[in-house]
Amino acid sequence: DMALIRVTDRDGVEHEVQGNIGFTLMENLRDLDYGVAAVCGGMMACATCHVWVDPAWLGKLPAQQSDELDLLRDLSTYRDNSRLSCQVKFTEQLAGLAIRIADDE
């Protein structure tokens, strides 16, 4: 099954992407030309899948684990709405999710 993800790239251009339900956000974003690098492949070792989540959606996401938060807080681009897209499973409840690809470190 597929559902809409609204992705704003680093240039501020919004794209509507059909994401695979049950995959992580990182898996849905890494193959896009303007998506995330995802260098470590989802092992939470690099933060190259860093995204900023539209604040309206933050409460619908699973809570951050301490390891994710520790890695994010070390980034100069960290914000209160930062997430590692490898740690967010894309579910039907997240259809329409709005995110922005975080600036490069």
Side-chain angles (χ1 to χ4, degrees):
D1 287 353
M2 308 283 279
L4 178 70
I5 307 172
R6 290 185 173 85
V7 182
T8 302
D9 65 27
R10 289 185 178 100
D11 295 325
V13 178
E14 187 176 297
H15 306 268
E16 292 194 346
V17 175
Q18 288 298 314
N20 288 297
I21 300 285
F23 286 57
T24 63
L25 279 179
M26 178 210 71
E27 291 167 322
N28 279 302
L29 298 173
R30 68 179 166 199
D31 293 333
L32 304 174
D33 290 339
Y34 50 84
V36 296
V39 172
C40 76
M43 301 304 294
M44 214 168 30
C46 69
T48 58
C49 69
H50 180 203
V51 297
W52 296 313
V53 177
D54 184 304
W57 286 92
L58 280 176
K60 298 177 181 168
L61 298 183
Q64 291 172 320
Q65 300 300 310
S66 60
D67 291 351
E68 178 184 1
L69 197 52
D70 289 346
L71 188 56
L72 285 167
R73 284 184 172 154
D74 285 340
L75 302 174
S76 64
T77 53
Y78 172 76
R79 298 180 182 173
D80 288 340
N81 61 335
S82 288
R83 289 302 301 262
L84 295 178
S85 60
C86 68
Q87 297 302 300
V88 179
K89 186 168 286 278
F90 186 57
T91 63
E92 291 176 2
Q93 293 76 21
L94 295 179
L97 176 67
I99 61 167
R100 183 178 180 113
I101 306 298
D103 295 339
D104 278 325
E105 243 330 87

